[in-house]
């Protein structure tokens, strides 16, 4: 089946090239899983990617938490991810004014040169999206911004009013790929999907087969419930990288997520 048939309304209404690319990759890989690759050494990251790459649609990084990071080792890691047909998503949570965000796409990590997606808060106003898009343009690349409309952590300050404003401003911006929603609370996610409509994607952290509380205020909901509630991609970290058998776990998340998408007769 074509991506357009599988994704239905979502395909028709998401014309941003990067959104279409994601939907196509998800179909090729039969997975709606983005791995949160939160390992702190390059060896650990490479080992993990080798084990689970075939079961993923995207790879989420925190480039600034790696102890032995180097330009060369990162270049190799990213090219391996690309060969595995993955979107690379730096969860940098940019929050500064537009101009500084543009400059922060450069610097030692040069995020603009290898990321397809980045996260941003909209706390400083909508120019941050232009700043990040300018960052990619500066090196002749394009990418998409995921705005934090909700968070998965306990006690976060993203109130329903704030979420509504983020969705309103973000929906009107072509540079916005989609929104981060709270995967741990399907009822919140359903509301977010209603507000977003079909025009943007929603990606969700806070997902684990072992539902409940995680470390330091993290909360987890079930992967299939998140997709039924309106998520287009489940972001899974410790459920995979802390598993005794990461490959088996990644495969299980991929199957759960893909089947949940297929089960949705009308994508909602
Ligand atoms: P976990 O091990 O599945 O809990 O990892 C979750 C990842 O998603 C981790 O990299 C966080 O930085 C990221 N995350 C999150 O957990 N909650 C949020 O609201 C956002 C990102 Br935004």
């Amino acid at each position: 089946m074509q991506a357009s048939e599988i994704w239905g309304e979502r395909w028709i209404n998401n014309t941003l090239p990067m959104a279409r690319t994601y939907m196509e990759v998800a179909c090729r890989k039969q997975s709606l899983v983005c791995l949160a690759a939160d390992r702190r050494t390059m060896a650990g990251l490479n080992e993990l990617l080798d084990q689970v790459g075939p079961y993923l649609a995207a790879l989420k990084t925190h480039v600034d938490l790696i102890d032995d990071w180097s330009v060369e080792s990162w270049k190799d890691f990213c090219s391996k991810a690309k060969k595995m047909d993955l979107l690379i998503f730096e969860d940098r949570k940019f929050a500064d004014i537009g101009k500084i965000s543009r400059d922060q796409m450069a610097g030692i990590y040069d995020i603009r040169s290898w990321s397809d997606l980045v996260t941003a808060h909209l706390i400083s106003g909508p120019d941050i999206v232009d700043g990040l898009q300018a960052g990619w343009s500066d090196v002749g690349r394009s990418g998409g911004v995921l705005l934090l409309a909700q968070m998965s952590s306990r006690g976060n300050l993203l109130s329903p009013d704030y979420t509504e404003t983020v969705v309103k401003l973000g929906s009107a911006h072509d540079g916005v790929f989609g929104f981060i929603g709270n995967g741990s609370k399907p009822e919140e996610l359903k509301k977010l999907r209603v507000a977003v409509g079909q025009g943007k994607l929603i990606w969700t952290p806070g997902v684990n087969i072992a539902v409940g509380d995680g470390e330091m205020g993290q909360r987890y909901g079930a992967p299939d419930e998140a997709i039924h509630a309106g998520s287009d991609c489940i972001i899974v970290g410790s459920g995979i990288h802390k598993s005794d058998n990461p490959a088996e776990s990644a495969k299980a998340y991929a199957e759960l997520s893909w089947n949940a998408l297929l089960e949705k007769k009308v994508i909602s």
Side-chain angles (χ1 to χ4, degrees):
M1 263 209 281
Q2 300 282 322
S4 55
E5 288 172 69
I6 303 244
W7 288 94
E9 287 291 306
R10 211 79 101 231
W11 177 271
I12 295 164
N13 289 288
N14 282 267
T15 48
L16 184 76
M18 195 57 78
R20 291 263 174 105
T21 301
Y22 166 67
M23 289 187 267
E24 285 173 339
V25 173
C27 291
R28 282 197 292 274
K29 305 290 287 281
Q30 304 210 337
S31 169
L32 273 58
V33 177
C34 172
L35 170 72
D38 297 332
R39 290 231 178 127
R40 294 191 45 189
T41 63
M42 287 309 306
L45 282 169
N46 276 298
E47 181 197 43
L48 183 62
L49 187 57
D50 291 339
Q51 290 169 328
V52 307
Y55 309 112
L56 310 176
L59 171 72
K60 186 175 88 63
T61 56
H62 282 301
V63 69
D64 53 356
L65 61 66
I66 302 154
D67 295 329
D68 58 348
W69 188 90
S70 70
V71 172
E72 274 311 308
S73 63
W74 194 252
K75 205 170 147 204
D76 293 345
F77 180 64
C78 289
S79 70
K80 179 153 65 182
K82 283 284 135 205
K83 279 191 199 122
M84 289 179 160
D85 199 11
L86 301 176
L87 292 187
I88 306 180
F89 165 25
E90 169 58 22
D91 188 7
R92 170 65 177 70
K93 300 183 181 73
F94 290 95
D96 215 312
I97 59 171
K99 189 216 170 300
I100 295 299
S101 298
R102 177 185 197 163
D103 291 347
Q104 287 173 323
M105 286 285 270
I108 188 148
Y109 296 122
D110 206 23
I111 294 169
R112 61 192 180 170
S113 293
W114 47 266
S115 66
D116 300 306
L117 301 166
V118 298
T119 37
H121 286 284
L122 207 60
I123 193 82
S124 62
D127 289 284
I128 190 169
V129 180
D130 298 315
L132 295 169
Q133 287 295 344
W136 278 304
S137 299
D138 289 340
V139 289
R141 298 185 71 244
S142 60
V145 178
L146 275 154
L147 292 175
L148 276 73
Q150 296 176 335
M151 290 191 77
S152 63
S153 46
R154 178 174 70 196
N156 71 72
L157 305 182
L158 281 63
S159 67
D161 279 355
Y162 177 83
T163 300
E164 195 186 312
T165 309
V166 170
V167 169
K168 195 170 143 227
L169 296 175
S171 297
H173 204 303
D174 282 346
V176 173
F177 171 92
F179 300 96
I180 294 290
N182 177 8
S184 75
K185 295 270 180 266
E187 62 283 12
E188 280 182 22
L189 207 45
K190 277 186 195 157
K191 287 186 195 151
L192 180 64
R193 176 48 76 191
V194 170
V196 170
Q198 301 288 338
K200 299 280 183 196
L201 300 179
I202 298 177
W203 285 29
T204 53
V207 168
N208 198 303
I209 288 168
V211 169
D213 288 336
E215 272 181 74
M216 300 184 123
Q218 176 68 303
R219 301 172 294 184
Y220 293 117
D224 48 346
E225 280 185 39
I227 288 162
H228 283 295
S231 169
D232 299 307
C233 178
I234 50 168
I235 298 172
V236 184
S238 39
I240 294 174
H241 67 74
K242 284 213 176 134
S243 152
D244 291 338
N245 188 334
E248 209 170 80
S249 299
K251 187 165 183 260
Y253 279 98
E255 283 172 6
L256 265 172
S257 64
W258 182 247
N259 290 337
L261 179 67
L262 297 183
E263 275 158 28
K264 294 210 275 188
K265 290 203 171 54
V266 178
I267 300 227
S268 55

